Amino acid sequence: MPPSDPTTVFIHSGWRCSSTYVWHRFRASPGVRAYYEPFHEQLAHVTAETINAQTPDNSGLRHPGGETPYLREFDVVLDPAGGVRGFDPGFALDRFWIEPEASDLQQQAYVDGLTAAARERGETPVLACCRTLGRAGWLKRRFGGFHIVLIRDPVQQWLSFYSLRRRPRPTYFELCHYVLLSEMAGCDDVSCALLGEAFDRAGPLAERIAAVRARLKRAPASVSFQAFLAVWLRSYLKALPHADLVVDVDRLARDQAYARTVEHAIEAGCGLRPDFTDCRAPPPHGVSPPVAWRKATRAVVEMMDLRQAIIGPEAPPVLFRKLAPALAALTPAPVGGAARLREAVGALIGGASVARAPSKAYAATARMDGSRR
């Protein structure tokens, strides 16, 4: 039985990491108010009408949930003037990297409002978000609760981004990683090396996303992957020490015994028991951009000086296990002529040139294909 004073449950993940599926299974539990993406910038403007218009079926993102609106649970915290009460669009990424001891009274009041709305109705609040890995420690220190971290094979995770591209244009998920990389504390040299230049960290998020889109909309696949991996590594190194439970979503989908173990662990931790029996692994993505995964991954690890953090005595074992496919000597499958032409730049940087300074390699190729315009 759930505890009389419900424990707040936080589900931390990256984008395209099965967080919608896990949230969907929590949502199906009785007595739960499961908030979907409570740090998404769109919450500054949602209304009852727009909430009802956004469903998994019409998203095009291959999400479970059918015709039930994603944001249905927010109906009790809407501001009559528009948006969710207490939400500021800067919450989305501006404070992604907040340290556990930092003060942010506005963000704290917002989360308090969500949890209070659930408890006033006798419900257990569940907050599932792709924007909280970097702030997991801050959330745990302020709100306690039961913290679940989802982790996926980073190559397949990034390929999920890539599979949603329209023409060679980057996805929203890729653009968010460019913004997060450009704003990682202590990583200015890594950011400049991978992205080719520094970006303005001030101004509204929409403007910052537009800036990276304008600069990197034709960046090769290898640049996108390496930017994603840099953020992936830093995010998990920040989140894993604060996790009460780490869920390998690749294994969750293929190992029923593991799924039952995860269900029991969640029940022991927070009193809820989501049912994962219908969890299925999607087939490996068929797209094969010309990225030399092993060289690209090693280059990022070396640039960020993370070798000991991944393989040292204090390293979280799951981190290396998830990196192993990328570190293996994989070669891209053949691709069609049109795709090869679009990603020719990616082949240069993702292949033999990846061990060199990516900023120089990218600057040279950018002049060739005009992507700096």
Side-chain angles (χ1 to χ4, degrees), residues 8 55 105 205:
T8 302
T55 69
L105 298 180
L205 175 60

Side-chain angles (χ1 to χ4, degrees), residues 165-199:
R165 282 187 169 201
R166 296 178 184 277
R167 302 188 304 275
R169 304 301 186 190
T171 61
Y172 168 81
F173 312 114
E174 292 172 88
L175 296 174
C176 284
H177 280 83
Y178 292 147
V179 170
L180 288 172
L181 174 58
S182 72
E183 299 177 4
M184 281 199 313
C187 288
D188 290 353
D189 55 341
V190 176
S191 174
C192 287
L194 293 177
L195 304 183
E197 65 180 72
F199 288 89

Side-chain angles (χ1 to χ4, degrees), residues 245-258:
L245 178 66
V246 178
V247 177
D248 180 340
V249 297
D250 300 301
R251 189 177 176 191
L252 186 71
R254 66 173 186 262
D255 185 340
Q256 284 293 309
Y258 177 72

Side-chain angles (χ1 to χ4, degrees), residues 80-121:
V84 173
R85 286 198 304 267
F87 182 80
D88 184 280
F91 293 166
L93 298 184
D94 289 359
R95 300 294 269 169
F96 184 93
W97 300 115
I98 189 170
E99 294 299 326
E101 64 277 5
S103 176
D104 190 329
L105 298 180
Q106 187 182 8
Q107 191 172 187
Q108 186 171 338
Y110 167 65
V111 177
D112 271 330
L114 297 181
T115 59
R119 288 179 178 148
E120 287 166 5
R121 292 161 175 80

Side-chain angles (χ1 to χ4, degrees), residues 20 39 106 149 157 164 247 249 272:
T20 302
F39 291 94
Q106 187 182 8
V149 170
Q157 186 177 341
L164 294 170
V247 177
V249 297
L272 301 173

Side-chain angles (χ1 to χ4, degrees), residues 5-23:
D5 182 14
T7 296
T8 302
V9 179
F10 294 90
I11 303 168
H12 309 284
S13 81
W15 287 273
R16 312 302 292 171
C17 196
S18 299
S19 61
T20 302
Y21 169 76
V22 174
W23 160 79

Side-chain angles (χ1 to χ4, degrees), residues 40-59:
H40 196 300
E41 58 267 28
Q42 70 171 322
L43 296 179
H45 308 290
V46 295
T47 65
E49 291 73 23
T50 58
I51 282 177
N52 289 328
Q54 300 174 21
T55 69
D57 273 358
N58 65 27
S59 72

Side-chain angles (χ1 to χ4, degrees), residues 15-17 61-62 152-166 169-171 173-174 177 221-222 224-226 228-229 232 250 282-293 325-326 330-333 335 343:
W15 287 273
R16 312 302 292 171
C17 196
L61 293 173
R62 305 189 288 264
R152 183 184 183 187
D153 166 11
V155 170
Q156 287 299 314
Q157 186 177 341
W158 179 82
L159 283 173
S160 185
F161 297 178
Y162 192 83
S163 71
L164 294 170
R165 282 187 169 201
R166 296 178 184 277
R169 304 301 186 190
T171 61
F173 312 114
E174 292 172 88
H177 280 83
S222 55
S224 172
F225 173 70
Q226 288 181 294
F228 156 76
L229 187 63
W232 188 93
D250 300 301
H285 289 283
V287 292
S288 301
V291 177
W293 308 111
L330 302 176
T331 55
V335 294
E343 292 295 347

